[in-house]
Structures are given as structure tokens and as C-alpha cells.
Amino acid sequence: MTSKLFASAVKSRLRFCLSTLVIAAAGIFAMPDAKAQSIDLPGGITLTPSMGVNLRYDDNIDNTVENEEESWLTVTTPNLLLEADSGVSAYSLSYSLSRADYLNADRDSYTDQELLVDATWNFHSRHRVEMNVEMLDIQQQPNNRAAVDLASLILERERYIEKEYSTTYTFGAEGARGRVEVTVGHNERDFVEEDGGRDLKVAYASGLFSFNIAGETDLLVRIEAAELDYEQQPDESDFDSREVNYMVGAEREGEVLSVGVMAGVGARTFEDPQVEDFKRPRWEAVAAWRPLENTELIFTAERATEETRGFANVIDAKSASVAWNHEWTGRISTEMSFRYTNADFEDSNVVENIRSGFASVEYEFLDGVTLLAGVTVLNQSATEPIFAEDRTRVFFGFEAALS
């Protein structure tokens, strides 16, 4: 029962030591997956190949305030998934490639790549270890993987390579009164262009303690710590820092309504005495309401920090979102969502107000073949006009199993 509700709404990895809440595990904003068929290989390994093809329209491909340029583009996304599960241990390796070609804009094609490796060992009913490796090669947004969250928006114009390694140890049997979960990891983000963002290395650790007080209600205590090491430019301040977050809260799971709330304080200390240290409240909340078996409403709210390109020491971000998922039939489903974010770039005059909406429909035309259509709308106002933006993206396509 340890933090099940938060686990379903929070990204599995702790990028920059902050568990960034994403609507419905970020799947609301990502392309839906087709129900691919697996191929059995020797040694208990299964192979699941799939292919996605999308035709997209983007009315502001350069993210500019004025002289917006529009274009159609095709995006082809092959994916390979290898899995093995012995009951005691489980392994998976996923590789995906997104190839995009602009049809009526003077812009080079781009290729994004993603490699994910996960391994889990259940040594005992009380002892569980999970290891994760993630490698990204992001040439140019948009890509199939990126969720429409604050971090993706900040890096929208950038090209970068990212590597992350993490290990999580869980002590406590499923259903036990108390459980402990400890995570350690390392993240590196290197920007390809010299005028891109600040290269960053982050070593992080977190601990989560869950104690069941009655039925499906758990008390939660979480501590997060991170050490951030930036590649400093000659004309920049030294933003190397250490951050610690302390959070307490509770969650309750029910068949119709599940609710989780955590609140606390976060503090960041900079090595450069000329950069002001700061403390700020931290909180996150999520509620999932399932009035019918085939429909779900998800509400989230959070206050967290994100890293910036270089002109501010950190972003203090407050967000709220609502999302609705509904299955009309066994083959037709829809998703809709709206998110609002207030992003305050500390130690600068920049404040952004970001509104994003998403809607999609998915139709399983044949077994293993899914037709997709959707739209994403972004409206971003800012105290500095250069950071303002309006953007609409539309996509049509399909995803299919190759087996």
C-alpha cells in the first residue's frame, strides 16, 4: 500500500531530486500505445515490436512570439520491447526512435532516441530492489516522449543528451503496516549547442516511509536530497547547490475515490555566496474519482522547483490540472486535460503563466492496430515578451504491432 496513489501520478524517476507530478503518469500527454502482440524467444524472453506513424500540424514550429511559421510534418516511431519475468526477477529493455520530417518548412529532419532498461528482484516478500537506466538523445522537440510539463517547455528549443541511473530498495511486505523505500540515483544532461542550456549533473537520494493507520489510509514521510553540479560559463554565477526537501502527508485509496496530500518545506543552498539561498513551501496533492467503471477524473496540484537555462538560479513553479479519461466501448476511448502553471524565475523579473490543454481519441481498428487523433493547445504569457508563446499542434495517425 506504500504510496500507491502518488506512484500512479508521479514519474517513476526523481529528476533533479523532485518527484514531478504528471497528469495520469504522463500518459495523458503522450501518444497512446497500441496493444502489440509479443513474440516468444528462447530463455523466457518476449519481444514486442511496434510502429507508429503520425501526420502532425504545428502552427509555431520555432516557438516564436512574432512571425510564426507553420508546417506539417510526419513522425515515424518504431519501438522494440524485450521482457523476461521469472517471478523472482523481471527485466525489460525498450528502445524507441522518432524520425520527423518537415513537409513545408525550411528545417532539417530530426531523430530522437530513447533507451530504457529496468530490472527488478524480489529477494523476499519484504525485500525488493529495482534498477533503472534511461538514455535520451533529444535533437528537436516535439518528440513522442516528452510530456507537456514545465521541464519540457523550458527545454523546448534545446537539443540535449540525458543519462540517468537509479536504484530503489523497498523493505516491507505488500500489505504490511509499515514500509520503507530508499532511492539513490544520478542524472546528467548535456546540451548539444553551445548557446543551449546549462549542462548539469545531479546526484540525488530520497527516502519514503509509509505507515498504515486504518484500512486503506497511510501516513507518509518523505525526505529528498540532491547535489547539483553545473558546468559554469565564464560570465555566469556559480549555481552549484544542495537541496533538501522534507514532506509529510497521507493518502487513502478507495474504489470510487482516492486522495493523497503531502506538504513540507524545501531549502536550497548555493556554493556561491553571491547567489541568495532560499527556502519555500512544497506541496503536492492528487485525487482520482471513478464514478463509473469506464471513466476517471484526476485532479492534481503541486509546488516544486525546476532548473532554468541560465538567467535565473531556479524556477518556483505552482501548478494545477484536471484530466478526464473515458472508454466509450472496448475499442474507443477519449482523453482530455487542462493544466495551469505559474512559473517564477527566481532572482529575475521573469514570471510565466502557462495554460495547456490536450484532447485525443483512440480507436482500436483491428487487434493490434490503433487509430489516433488529437490536439494540444498552449498559451504562455510572460513578463518578458520574448518568453511568451501561443502554439497549437494537431496529429492524426496509427500505431500497430509488427508481430
Side-chain angles (χ1 to χ4, degrees), residues 1 17 200 255 286 288 319 327 346:
M1 291 183 292
C17 177
L200 173 64
E255 292 185 4
V286 58
S319 298
E327 289 190 13
E346 294 289 327

Side-chain angles (χ1 to χ4, degrees), residues 34 67 103 112 128 154 160 202 218 223 228 255 326 361 364:
N67 301 320
L103 301 182
D112 289 348
R128 183 175 184 269
I154 295 169
Y160 60 90
V202 181
D218 292 344
I223 301 175
L228 299 92
E255 292 185 4
H326 185 77
V361 60
E364 189 180 1

Side-chain angles (χ1 to χ4, degrees), residues 22-24 29 298-302 319-323 337-340:
V22 181
I23 300 174
F29 297 109
I298 301 174
F299 304 89
T300 72
E302 66 169 331
S319 298
S321 69
V322 58
S337 65
F338 174 79
R339 176 183 174 123
Y340 171 77

Side-chain angles (χ1 to χ4, degrees), residues 88-91 119-124 127-131 167:
V88 176
S89 60
Y91 308 90
T120 303
W121 297 273
N122 293 292
F123 297 108
H124 186 271
H127 303 279
R128 183 175 184 269
V129 174
E130 181 178 355
M131 298 184 67
T167 301

